[in-house]
Amino acid sequence: METYLVGGAVRDELLGLAPGDRDWVVVGATPQQMLDAGFKPVGRDFPVFLHPDTGEEHALARTERKSGRGHRGFVVDADPSVTLEDDLQRRDFTINAIARDAHGDLVDPCGGVDDLRQRVLRHVGPAFAEDPLRVLRAGRFMARFAPLGFTVAPETMLLMRRMAASGELGTLVPERVWQELRKALAAAQPSAFLATLHACGALAAILPEVDALYGVPQRAEYHPEVDTGIHQQLVSDMAAKLAPGDDLVGFAALTHDLGKALTPPHLLPRHIGHENAGLKPLATLCERLRVPLEHRRLAESVCREHLNVHRLAELRDATVLELLERCDALRRPERVARIAIACEADKRGHLGSEDADYPQGPELRRLHAAALAVNARDLAGHEGLSGPQVGEALRKARIAAIGAARTLRARPAGPG
């Protein structure tokens, strides 16, 4: 029985990245031998065990044979005769098919080390086409590794185009699609996920509402990039820069402009009312992928309100309170900071505006704090009020607090 460190742990170590979870492959063992050695079984589809001391995953070396449609349609063989090379050959990309033995020596039958040096994402072999989830994984790896200079090998891109055209992406269960999307949005360069999947035709299969943005023109004086799909890529990258690892902000930024794909051709390149038009495709997307409720609610707020936040200085005090109430910001105060960041990502997600100031963000947070500081206990002189009267008094007090906060900010500083 021999044990090898495999996959992402080896890859990231060779790239000089911070190590994540470590996965191991065990060669020459049976499930019973693993149990006898104290390992705990956790694998449902194939033999995976947790080490009794470290808790790290140890999987028996295995091969897979396609038996049906989708990413679960496989017959797994984890016989003790399966070699390490057999196991590595079934993996998705060459950079994930590298192992390190107990002596520290690398086992690299697929040329992954060379592809790491060349910064190339390349599929291991023809079996790549048997699992449609691997197309999404390619996009997700690009979202993580594009900042390091990685590109997709031409032959891999060609294969992914064929896979997208085959319709197999339609067999993916919503939870797996959401999992890959969520990881991509939390990566350093989500635009690489979008661009990779758009280029191979997969984005139209899994996120048709986002794919529809490509080729839709915008007014060049406001959007030098013109193409709404390119604008979306810039916004997603800016969100990742402003809120690293926050997939809540990432999802809201991704879906804020979906309504622009629905603009009637005779109105282009203007997009009047796109913020409200975007709510319907957003709901369709969320229902199809079973997006968590908190992601959906934040995305709805940003989609509906981003133009209002951009022109925050023009809004009346009462209108500011109404905006906060529509976002449920008085009950969910943590939501405001993320709304502000997503709106800032939109404003700075234009060519030439990457370093632009966005005072609306801190101002929204400041006015929200002023409104939030007022509660029913502070309504001195309103004894005897009940029911709707209390609510109306509270509303007026919050509007007054917003106005006072604005007046305080506008007041010039005194001498000395």
Side-chain angles (χ1 to χ4, degrees):
M1 187 167 71
E2 297 179 307
T3 302
Y4 299 83
L5 183 66
V6 296
V10 179
R11 176 199 67 219
D12 290 352
E13 179 186 331
L14 294 173
L15 286 171
L17 300 176
D21 294 336
R22 300 198 305 172
D23 295 320
W24 304 82
V25 161
V26 181
V27 178
T30 65
Q32 189 58 51
Q33 286 176 303
M34 299 294 287
L35 295 174
D36 292 344
F39 285 81
K40 299 178 181 178
V42 294
R44 183 181 65 177
D45 299 323
F46 47 82
V48 180
F49 304 84
L50 298 181
H51 191 282
D53 298 323
T54 67
E56 293 176 334
E57 287 193 359
H58 287 59
L60 297 186
R62 66 184 190 272
T63 60
E64 296 171 344
R65 177 172 53 83
K66 186 73 169 175
S67 61
R69 286 172 61 82
H71 70 284
R72 289 181 173 174
F74 291 90
V75 174
V76 174
D77 179 13
D79 188 84
S81 63
V82 176
T83 67
L84 174 65
E85 288 74 13
D86 292 335
D87 183 274
L88 295 176
Q89 288 284 351
R90 67 161 180 84
R91 295 175 180 264
D92 50 9
F93 301 103
T94 61
I95 63 173
N96 296 331
I98 309 169
R100 188 182 293 280
D101 66 19
H103 306 291
D105 296 323
L106 295 178
V107 181
D108 180 27
C110 304
V113 172
D114 196 40
D115 282 342
L116 283 175
R117 293 195 189 101
Q118 296 183 45
R119 299 296 195 256
V120 174
L121 188 68
R122 192 190 317 274
H123 66 286
V124 168
F128 179 92
E130 296 177 350
D131 185 354
L133 187 66
R134 289 176 168 179
V135 177
L136 274 63
R137 284 171 60 83
R140 194 242 299 172
F141 281 127
M142 285 302 297
R144 183 181 180 196
F145 295 132
L148 301 180
F150 272 78
T151 59
V152 180
E155 63 270 27
T156 300
M157 182 60 76
L158 179 61
L159 182 56
M160 291 197 304
R161 287 195 186 100
R162 292 173 180 167
M163 293 171 68
S166 74
E168 276 249 330
L169 288 170
T171 67
L172 294 174
V173 297
E175 291 81 3
R176 294 307 301 271
V177 175
W178 171 247
Q179 183 180 23
E180 294 298 323
L181 174 60
R182 191 172 186 171
K183 290 178 180 178
L185 293 174
Q189 192 173 324
S191 65
F193 175 86
L194 299 175
T196 299
L197 298 191
H198 176 66
C200 73
L203 196 63
I206 65 162
L207 290 173
E209 300 85 0
V210 177
D211 190 73
L213 297 174
Y214 286 88
V216 176
Q218 303 168 108
R219 295 174 65 180
E221 63 267 38
Y222 300 118
H223 292 272
E225 66 280 357
V226 180
D227 189 313
T228 307
I230 302 303
H231 167 60
Q232 182 54 63
Q233 291 181 190
L234 295 172
V235 173
S236 288
D237 284 353
M238 184 57 66
K241 178 180 179 180
L242 296 173
D246 192 330
D247 55 83
L248 271 164
V249 171
F251 183 69
L254 175 70
T255 56
H256 81 286
D257 262 354
L258 295 183
K260 288 183 176 179
L262 303 177
T263 300
H266 70 276
L267 293 180
L268 296 174
R270 302 172 70 199
H271 294 278
I272 300 172
H274 74 274
E275 63 276 19
N276 289 314
L279 294 173
K280 185 175 181 179
L282 173 59
T284 301
L285 187 161
C286 289
E287 289 164 10
R288 186 179 65 253
L289 296 188
R290 300 174 189 171
V291 174
L293 186 61
E294 183 57 22
H295 288 74
R296 178 171 181 167
R297 293 292 178 252
L298 182 71
E300 288 170 346
S301 294
V302 172
C303 180
R304 184 183 58 244
E305 308 294 349
H306 64 278
L307 293 189
N308 287 327
V309 176
H310 292 340
R311 60 187 186 94
L312 185 64
E314 304 170 19
L315 302 184
R316 295 179 302 160
D317 299 339
T319 307
V320 172
L321 180 61
E322 291 165 4
L323 186 160
L324 294 172
E325 289 173 337
R326 287 194 300 270
C327 296
D328 201 16
L330 301 175
R331 284 196 322 116
R332 304 296 301 271
E334 73 283 356
R335 192 172 286 173
V336 170
R338 287 190 165 104
I339 291 172
I341 293 172
C343 291
E344 180 176 355
D346 173 42
K347 201 66 173 180
R348 293 173 61 183
H350 303 176
L351 289 177
S353 299
E354 297 85 354
D355 298 320
D357 190 23
Y358 192 71
Q360 297 94 322
E363 181 70 355
L364 179 67
R365 290 190 283 268
R366 202 173 67 85
L367 298 182
H368 171 246
L372 196 64
V374 179
N375 57 62
R377 294 188 301 273
D378 300 323
L379 299 180
H382 291 78
E383 295 83 356
L385 296 181
S386 62
Q389 294 174 322
V390 174
E392 181 59 24
L394 187 59
R395 177 178 177 276
K396 289 180 179 179
R398 284 171 170 162
I399 293 172
I402 290 171
R406 283 175 148 174
T407 301
L408 182 64
R409 182 177 180 82
R411 185 181 303 158

